[in-house]
Amino acid sequence: MTTRCPAFLEAASGTMRAMVAGAALVVLVLPLSDAYAQACQPTGTNQTCTNSVTISGGAVGILDNGSLTLNNTVTGAILSADSILALIDANVTNSGTIQAGNHGIYAGSNATVTNSGTIQADWGIAALQYVNVNNSGKILADEYGIASSNADANVTNSGTIQANKYGIVAGNDANVTNSGTIQVTGLSGAGIYAINGNANVTNSGTILADGGGIRAGANANVTNSGTILGFTGITATIDANVTNSGTILANLAGIRADNNANVTNSGTIQADWGIAAVGAGHVTNSGTIAGTIAALSFGGNGTGGSSLTLLPGSKIIGDIYFNGTTGNSVRFLGGNHNLTFDDELLTGTTVTGAIPFAVSGFRAAAVDLTPFAMQGRVLTDFTRGISDAIPHVARGGAAGGAPLAFAAPDASSRIDDAFAAIPGLSAYSGEAIAFKAPTVVYADDTAIWSRGFAGRRVQQADGVLLHAANAFYGGMLGGDKRVQPGLTVGAFIGGGATRTDIDLNTGDSRSDLGFGGVYANYDAGQTFLRAVVQGGASRNTVTRTINNNLLPTGLETATASFDGWYVSPDATIGHRFALGQFANGSYTLTPSLKLRYLYGELGGYTEKGSTANLSVGSRTVSTAEERGEVKLTRTELASTAGMISTSLYGGVLGTQRLGGATINATLLGQAIPFATPGPADVWGGFGGAGLEWRTGNVSVYSAAEYLALSDKSNVISGRAGLRVGF
């Protein structure tokens, strides 16, 4: 036995030998009625026992001179100074109670235990060799919860392990999967301790230790999605290899390695020293690492220097020490950063990035590209919403002929009269659907209308681009008039806003827009043409949240404002195919093709409010868009309710970014030009539904649409409004 093993194991070994030698004495201690009430004798060799009663008193509850297999049922209780002792192996299944003054379960060789009940003792489960424990119950120990002297401790815990010194201790490796609670109150102890080997721990539960959460005599290989609390979080005599998505909170060091610390963190690590390594540190961070003395402290004795990779969401609070060694590297892969290092001029450090960055003296800063990708996309969505909300009014004329090819010849004039009286048969799709109906009062060729539109684009994370949500909405007023048979012209004005929120508290942008435009509809029989020209101006504000490791909160905010303007023409051609009548409704199928162009200019700006303000030059947005659509419309006329028109539609949409893609910018006094992020060509499919109700010369309209695009985004939009003809 090594000198580093707990003294109790050596003492227990001597006790075991003494008890085996005096086995007859142990039998005499127990009442005969208790002894024979068991499925096996309280003492013997290679016993297989099932206990469902209470064994109490004496030095040993059940003693086996060889290997013991015991099932202590939910009604069984073993209450002795040492409850279960086996000279060789102890194989115990416990759903009842095992309570002892010394050892709950002790094996001279290996202990294999499945516990769903309660084990309470100075030492809960102990073995000179391996311990293999699956615990879903309670192990309550004054000294050691689970202990192996010379070999591995293999533990799966979904219950509770409480101790005053060590929750789980192994002479060699500690292989632990914990989804429950391991709690240790002694300052000199640890939740999990591998004395001479590796601590291989997967924790999704809670490890609470006044001393150390996890200690390893060799390597600490830890995956944590739960909580680790202790004077030290994770300590390794050689390397600490840690993947953390949970929480590690410690007084002294969150993660400490006497050699190298290899850490991937997306959770929280907080201590006096967040991560410390005598050797090299290799850290990839998308979470929070905070240290009141140092967030990162690397000694640089490892091979190849230290490395720090910064992902979106990374927040470092505290000093960063590379200690002047060569071969160090910093990589920016997303997010906004303004980091100050404690190595003069970042000596020996190579700085690279997939996003724009700059290095000046002790500082290295970088810029998230997501807002620049969203600016063009949200303007495209907003202007599409305006164009789609404009009523497409179809009116009969000399070129139009009868609205429906299937209408009876003797009813043509009557049908024309009925629908000429309604200013615009379908405010959304423009198809003129007629059917046999009573003649109504003929109206003038002038109408006024109002429309509201709103939508939301959800952009999934894509490479360096973060998850973002664009909301847009607006309202508009307009009017139109028939100026000659088949031709209607109109105009509109309106206002709206866009809001972009970027994930991981990286930043946001706001735009307020005013717009106006003109449009024309021309019906040539069942074929229609439509043209729209819109233009507008915007007032824009941007906010960028930046990780500054020298600030107490780790965050600073930069803001800026700038103006912009745009113009967007579009043209649509379509044809209405009358499908006939069915179930009191008339059906029309309308394929159409729409081409749209958007050109916008956004002014330059310089941020204020941070120590790493970004300056951005003026830039343009230039997009071509094609939309192919097929719509099925059903129209029904009720003498009392007016006319109800419903439609279902779907199709494909494509956009292409045109013109130059370079954005000129300056950071830390250095030029950092970069290309507009995201794919230049995007395609997708859409589907939607519309509803219109008209009575007399008033129509009410609404529609909703879902668009899925190849740039990992989707857009949900809706439109509604009122139209009055007079």
Side-chain angles (χ1 to χ4, degrees), residues 673-707:
F674 56 89
T676 302
D681 297 325
V682 177
W683 58 272
F686 63 88
L691 173 66
E692 185 176 1
W693 172 70
R694 275 162 293 167
T695 179
N697 62 343
V698 177
S699 65
V700 179
Y701 150 80
S702 65
E705 179 176 297
Y706 177 81
L707 170 63

Side-chain angles (χ1 to χ4, degrees), residues 320-394:
I320 302 172
Y321 291 97
F322 281 174
N323 292 321
T325 59
T326 59
N328 300 321
S329 65
V330 175
R331 298 172 63 210
F332 292 109
L333 298 183
N336 295 309
H337 307 277
N338 179 22
L339 302 180
T340 301
F341 293 77
D342 288 86
D343 297 90
E344 185 175 0
L345 302 179
L346 291 175
T347 303
T349 300
T350 300
V351 181
T352 58
I355 57 176
F357 68 90
V359 178
S360 178
F362 294 84
R363 287 199 295 165
V367 177
D368 175 38
L369 290 176
T370 308
F372 300 97
M374 296 300 104
Q375 286 172 351
R377 297 178 188 182
V378 72
L379 184 58
T380 299
D381 293 338
F382 183 84
T383 53
R384 182 189 306 121
I386 295 171
S387 179
D388 290 347
I390 299 170
H392 187 177
V393 181

Side-chain angles (χ1 to χ4, degrees), residues 397-604:
L404 269 190
F406 65 84
D410 59 355
S412 295
S413 60
R414 196 164 39 142
I415 294 170
D416 287 343
D417 286 343
F419 283 89
I422 302 174
L425 182 60
S426 177
Y428 177 65
S429 63
E431 52 265 44
I433 304 174
F435 42 84
K436 299 178 181 180
T439 303
V440 296
V441 178
Y442 215 98
D444 195 359
D445 294 314
T446 301
I448 59 171
W449 52 266
S450 64
R451 288 286 186 271
F453 62 92
R456 178 178 175 87
R457 173 193 284 260
V458 177
Q459 179 69 59
Q460 302 300 328
D462 185 11
V464 300
L465 301 182
L466 304 182
H467 179 279
N470 294 330
F472 58 93
Y473 55 90
M476 48 203 296
L477 294 172
D480 54 57
K481 181 178 178 61
R482 184 171 66 174
V483 295
Q484 66 180 44
L487 178 62
T488 302
V489 297
F492 60 91
I493 59 172
T498 68
R499 303 289 185 263
T500 300
D501 295 304
I502 302 172
D503 208 4
L504 302 176
N505 194 30
T506 301
D508 57 58
S509 63
R510 303 286 186 265
S511 298
D512 295 311
L513 299 99
F515 57 85
V518 295
Y519 62 96
N521 297 321
Y522 180 69
D523 291 277
Q526 302 307 312
T527 301
F528 61 89
L529 300 172
R530 178 193 189 197
V532 178
V533 178
Q534 59 170 300
S538 63
R539 181 60 177 171
N540 313 281
T541 61
V542 292
T543 300
R544 203 163 57 93
T545 304
I546 307 165
N547 174 211
N548 184 335
N549 64 303
L550 298 187
L551 297 180
T553 63
L555 297 175
E556 61 183 353
T557 301
T559 61
S561 298
F562 59 93
D563 295 326
W565 64 270
Y566 78 89
V567 62
S568 177
D570 66 69
T572 304
I573 184 171
H575 188 83
R576 295 177 285 267
F577 293 94
L579 301 181
Q581 291 181 306
F582 178 75
N584 298 321
S586 296
Y587 292 84
T588 302
L589 186 67
T590 307
S592 62
L593 175 64
K594 179 178 180 179
L595 302 177
R596 190 167 74 92
Y597 175 71
L598 169 66
Y599 178 85
E601 287 193 4
L602 302 174

